[in-house]
mmCIF file of all heavy atoms in Angstrom:
data_model
loop_
_atom_site.group_PDB
_atom_site.id
_atom_site.type_symbol
_atom_site.label_atom_id
_atom_site.label_comp_id
_atom_site.label_asym_id
_atom_site.label_seq_id
_atom_site.Cartn_x
_atom_site.Cartn_y
_atom_site.Cartn_z
ATOM 1 N N ALA A 1 201.134 -8.586 194.199
ATOM 2 C CA ALA A 1 201.897 -7.405 193.787
ATOM 3 C C ALA A 1 203.399 -7.604 193.911
ATOM 4 O O ALA A 1 204.175 -6.694 193.596
ATOM 5 C CB ALA A 1 201.463 -6.197 194.619
ATOM 6 N N GLU A 2 203.810 -8.779 194.409
ATOM 7 C CA GLU A 2 205.234 -9.118 194.555
ATOM 8 C C GLU A 2 205.945 -8.135 195.472
ATOM 9 O O GLU A 2 207.061 -7.682 195.202
ATOM 10 C CB GLU A 2 205.914 -9.168 193.177
ATOM 11 C CG GLU A 2 205.302 -10.190 192.238
ATOM 12 C CD GLU A 2 205.883 -10.127 190.838
ATOM 13 O OE1 GLU A 2 206.884 -9.404 190.636
ATOM 14 O OE2 GLU A 2 205.338 -10.794 189.930
ATOM 15 N N THR A 3 205.270 -7.811 196.566
ATOM 16 C CA THR A 3 205.870 -6.917 197.548
ATOM 17 C C THR A 3 205.840 -7.585 198.917
ATOM 18 O O THR A 3 205.124 -8.574 199.131
ATOM 19 C CB THR A 3 205.133 -5.563 197.587
ATOM 20 O OG1 THR A 3 205.898 -4.626 198.350
ATOM 21 C CG2 THR A 3 203.739 -5.684 198.180
ATOM 22 N N LYS A 4 206.582 -7.038 199.852
ATOM 23 C CA LYS A 4 206.741 -7.660 201.168
ATOM 24 C C LYS A 4 205.432 -7.630 201.964
ATOM 25 O O LYS A 4 204.722 -6.630 201.975
ATOM 26 C CB LYS A 4 207.840 -6.931 201.959
ATOM 27 C CG LYS A 4 208.181 -7.570 203.290
ATOM 28 C CD LYS A 4 209.293 -6.803 203.994
ATOM 29 C CE LYS A 4 209.728 -7.498 205.277
ATOM 30 N NZ LYS A 4 208.632 -7.637 206.257
ATOM 31 N N ILE A 5 205.154 -8.733 202.626
ATOM 32 C CA ILE A 5 204.002 -8.813 203.530
ATOM 33 C C ILE A 5 204.502 -8.493 204.938
ATOM 34 O O ILE A 5 205.381 -9.186 205.450
ATOM 35 C CB ILE A 5 203.371 -10.216 203.496
ATOM 36 C CG1 ILE A 5 202.874 -10.541 202.084
ATOM 37 C CG2 ILE A 5 202.234 -10.312 204.508
ATOM 38 C CD1 ILE A 5 202.442 -11.978 201.893
ATOM 39 N N PRO A 6 203.979 -7.445 205.575
ATOM 40 C CA PRO A 6 204.464 -7.069 206.915
ATOM 41 C C PRO A 6 204.305 -8.199 207.929
ATOM 42 O O PRO A 6 203.329 -8.960 207.885
ATOM 43 C CB PRO A 6 203.578 -5.873 207.286
ATOM 44 C CG PRO A 6 203.118 -5.316 205.977
ATOM 45 C CD PRO A 6 202.964 -6.507 205.074
ATOM 46 N N ASP A 7 205.245 -8.282 208.841
ATOM 47 C CA ASP A 7 205.234 -9.347 209.841
ATOM 48 C C ASP A 7 204.047 -9.249 210.796
ATOM 49 O O ASP A 7 203.644 -10.258 211.384
ATOM 50 C CB ASP A 7 206.537 -9.319 210.653
ATOM 51 C CG ASP A 7 207.745 -9.673 209.805
ATOM 52 O OD1 ASP A 7 207.559 -10.358 208.769
ATOM 53 O OD2 ASP A 7 208.867 -9.266 210.167
ATOM 54 N N ASP A 8 203.499 -8.024 210.970
ATOM 55 C CA ASP A 8 202.410 -7.880 211.942
ATOM 56 C C ASP A 8 201.039 -8.246 211.368
ATOM 57 O O ASP A 8 200.045 -8.248 212.094
ATOM 58 C CB ASP A 8 202.373 -6.466 212.530
ATOM 59 C CG ASP A 8 202.141 -5.383 211.494
ATOM 60 O OD1 ASP A 8 202.187 -5.692 210.287
ATOM 61 O OD2 ASP A 8 201.926 -4.220 211.885
ATOM 62 N N MET A 9 200.952 -8.548 210.074
ATOM 63 C CA MET A 9 199.697 -9.067 209.534
ATOM 64 C C MET A 9 199.505 -10.488 210.033
ATOM 65 O O MET A 9 200.461 -11.240 210.182
ATOM 66 C CB MET A 9 199.697 -9.009 208.008
ATOM 67 C CG MET A 9 199.501 -7.604 207.467
ATOM 68 S SD MET A 9 199.234 -7.605 205.667
ATOM 69 C CE MET A 9 198.814 -5.876 205.401
ATOM 70 N N GLN A 10 198.250 -10.864 210.276
ATOM 71 C CA GLN A 10 197.984 -12.119 210.983
ATOM 72 C C GLN A 10 197.477 -13.255 210.094
ATOM 73 O O GLN A 10 197.317 -14.375 210.565
ATOM 74 C CB GLN A 10 196.970 -11.854 212.111
ATOM 75 C CG GLN A 10 197.513 -10.918 213.182
ATOM 76 C CD GLN A 10 196.504 -10.654 214.286
ATOM 77 O OE1 GLN A 10 195.430 -10.132 214.035
ATOM 78 N NE2 GLN A 10 196.846 -11.021 215.504
ATOM 79 N N GLY A 11 197.229 -12.967 208.819
ATOM 80 C CA GLY A 11 196.791 -14.010 207.908
ATOM 81 C C GLY A 11 197.938 -14.510 207.047
ATOM 82 O O GLY A 11 199.105 -14.229 207.316
ATOM 83 N N ARG A 12 197.596 -15.251 205.992
ATOM 84 C CA ARG A 12 198.594 -15.780 205.073
ATOM 85 C C ARG A 12 198.121 -15.594 203.640
ATOM 86 O O ARG A 12 196.922 -15.589 203.364
ATOM 87 C CB ARG A 12 198.832 -17.276 205.335
ATOM 88 C CG ARG A 12 199.430 -17.576 206.683
ATOM 89 C CD ARG A 12 199.658 -19.064 206.873
ATOM 90 N NE ARG A 12 200.702 -19.579 205.988
ATOM 91 C CZ ARG A 12 201.159 -20.837 206.044
ATOM 92 N NH1 ARG A 12 200.657 -21.685 206.925
ATOM 93 N NH2 ARG A 12 202.104 -21.242 205.206
ATOM 94 N N SER A 13 199.061 -15.459 202.735
ATOM 95 C CA SER A 13 198.715 -15.293 201.324
ATOM 96 C C SER A 13 198.045 -16.550 200.780
ATOM 97 O O SER A 13 198.464 -17.681 201.052
ATOM 98 C CB SER A 13 199.968 -15.001 200.507
ATOM 99 O OG SER A 13 199.694 -15.092 199.117
ATOM 100 N N LEU A 14 197.012 -16.323 199.970
ATOM 101 C CA LEU A 14 196.314 -17.425 199.311
ATOM 102 C C LEU A 14 196.946 -17.801 197.962
ATOM 103 O O LEU A 14 196.470 -18.733 197.308
ATOM 104 C CB LEU A 14 194.849 -17.040 199.069
ATOM 105 C CG LEU A 14 193.972 -16.832 200.309
ATOM 106 C CD1 LEU A 14 192.613 -16.313 199.903
ATOM 107 C CD2 LEU A 14 193.842 -18.123 201.103
ATOM 108 N N VAL A 15 197.995 -17.096 197.563
ATOM 109 C CA VAL A 15 198.588 -17.352 196.244
ATOM 110 C C VAL A 15 198.991 -18.815 196.067
ATOM 111 O O VAL A 15 198.622 -19.445 195.063
ATOM 112 C CB VAL A 15 199.761 -16.392 195.964
ATOM 113 C CG1 VAL A 15 200.555 -16.859 194.734
ATOM 114 C CG2 VAL A 15 199.244 -14.976 195.745
ATOM 115 N N PRO A 16 199.731 -19.438 196.999
ATOM 116 C CA PRO A 16 200.071 -20.850 196.787
ATOM 117 C C PRO A 16 198.834 -21.755 196.738
ATOM 118 O O PRO A 16 198.817 -22.745 196.001
ATOM 119 C CB PRO A 16 200.968 -21.202 197.975
ATOM 120 C CG PRO A 16 200.741 -20.126 198.984
ATOM 121 C CD PRO A 16 200.388 -18.904 198.216
ATOM 122 N N VAL A 17 197.814 -21.406 197.492
ATOM 123 C CA VAL A 17 196.568 -22.182 197.468
ATOM 124 C C VAL A 17 195.910 -22.055 196.098
ATOM 125 O O VAL A 17 195.447 -23.045 195.512
ATOM 126 C CB VAL A 17 195.609 -21.702 198.577
ATOM 127 C CG1 VAL A 17 194.311 -22.503 198.548
ATOM 128 C CG2 VAL A 17 196.265 -21.805 199.954
ATOM 129 N N LEU A 18 195.879 -20.832 195.574
ATOM 130 C CA LEU A 18 195.306 -20.595 194.252
ATOM 131 C C LEU A 18 196.059 -21.344 193.164
ATOM 132 O O LEU A 18 195.472 -21.792 192.173
ATOM 133 C CB LEU A 18 195.298 -19.098 193.948
ATOM 134 C CG LEU A 18 194.309 -18.255 194.762
ATOM 135 C CD1 LEU A 18 194.649 -16.774 194.646
ATOM 136 C CD2 LEU A 18 192.885 -18.505 194.300
ATOM 137 N N GLU A 19 197.354 -21.498 193.354
ATOM 138 C CA GLU A 19 198.184 -22.199 192.369
ATOM 139 C C GLU A 19 198.115 -23.718 192.528
ATOM 140 O O GLU A 19 198.751 -24.451 191.770
ATOM 141 C CB GLU A 19 199.626 -21.723 192.486
ATOM 142 C CG GLU A 19 199.815 -20.265 192.074
ATOM 143 C CD GLU A 19 201.228 -19.753 192.285
ATOM 144 O OE1 GLU A 19 201.938 -20.305 193.160
ATOM 145 O OE2 GLU A 19 201.630 -18.811 191.587
ATOM 146 N N GLY A 20 197.330 -24.162 193.516
ATOM 147 C CA GLY A 20 197.177 -25.600 193.729
ATOM 148 C C GLY A 20 198.253 -26.212 194.586
ATOM 149 O O GLY A 20 198.414 -27.445 194.607
ATOM 150 N N ASN A 21 198.983 -25.355 195.328
ATOM 151 C CA ASN A 21 200.092 -25.844 196.156
ATOM 152 C C ASN A 21 199.896 -25.414 197.609
ATOM 153 O O ASN A 21 200.719 -24.688 198.165
ATOM 154 C CB ASN A 21 201.428 -25.309 195.626
ATOM 155 C CG ASN A 21 201.697 -25.730 194.205
ATOM 156 O OD1 ASN A 21 201.582 -26.912 193.870
ATOM 157 N ND2 ASN A 21 202.052 -24.785 193.351
ATOM 158 N N THR A 22 198.820 -25.851 198.225
ATOM 159 C CA THR A 22 198.557 -25.490 199.615
ATOM 160 C C THR A 22 199.720 -25.948 200.501
ATOM 161 O O THR A 22 200.088 -27.132 200.484
ATOM 162 C CB THR A 22 197.257 -26.136 200.115
ATOM 163 O OG1 THR A 22 196.177 -25.714 199.272
ATOM 164 C CG2 THR A 22 196.965 -25.726 201.552
ATOM 165 N N PRO A 23 200.319 -25.028 201.269
ATOM 166 C CA PRO A 23 201.442 -25.417 202.138
ATOM 167 C C PRO A 23 201.029 -26.493 203.140
ATOM 168 O O PRO A 23 199.878 -26.539 203.598
ATOM 169 C CB PRO A 23 201.785 -24.105 202.861
ATOM 170 C CG PRO A 23 201.294 -23.020 201.951
ATOM 171 C CD PRO A 23 200.060 -23.576 201.310
ATOM 172 N N GLU A 24 201.976 -27.349 203.482
ATOM 173 C CA GLU A 24 201.689 -28.440 204.417
ATOM 174 C C GLU A 24 201.291 -27.921 205.786
ATOM 175 O O GLU A 24 200.546 -28.591 206.514
ATOM 176 C CB GLU A 24 202.916 -29.359 204.537
ATOM 177 C CG GLU A 24 203.185 -30.174 203.278
ATOM 178 C CD GLU A 24 204.331 -31.151 203.463
ATOM 179 O OE1 GLU A 24 204.828 -31.264 204.617
ATOM 180 O OE2 GLU A 24 204.722 -31.796 202.482
ATOM 181 N N ASP A 25 201.783 -26.735 206.154
ATOM 182 C CA ASP A 25 201.474 -26.182 207.477
ATOM 183 C C ASP A 25 200.304 -25.196 207.431
ATOM 184 O O ASP A 25 200.172 -24.338 208.300
ATOM 185 C CB ASP A 25 202.712 -25.500 208.072
ATOM 186 C CG ASP A 25 203.194 -24.312 207.244
ATOM 187 O OD1 ASP A 25 202.734 -24.171 206.080
ATOM 188 O OD2 ASP A 25 204.016 -23.523 207.750
#
């Protein structure tokens, strides 16, 4: 949705993974 992810959420967005660019960390 191109909106801010709150800092207190404990997971991570899968968008880069879906795009084939899994972050190194």
Side-chain angles (χ1 to χ4, degrees):
E2 300 174 9
T3 192
K4 185 179 185 300
I5 299 171
D7 293 336
D8 61 350
M9 285 189 172
Q10 296 180 299
R12 295 181 68 174
S13 169
L14 294 174
V15 168
V17 180
L18 290 165
E19 293 176 335
N21 300 310
T22 302
E24 290 185 6
D25 62 347

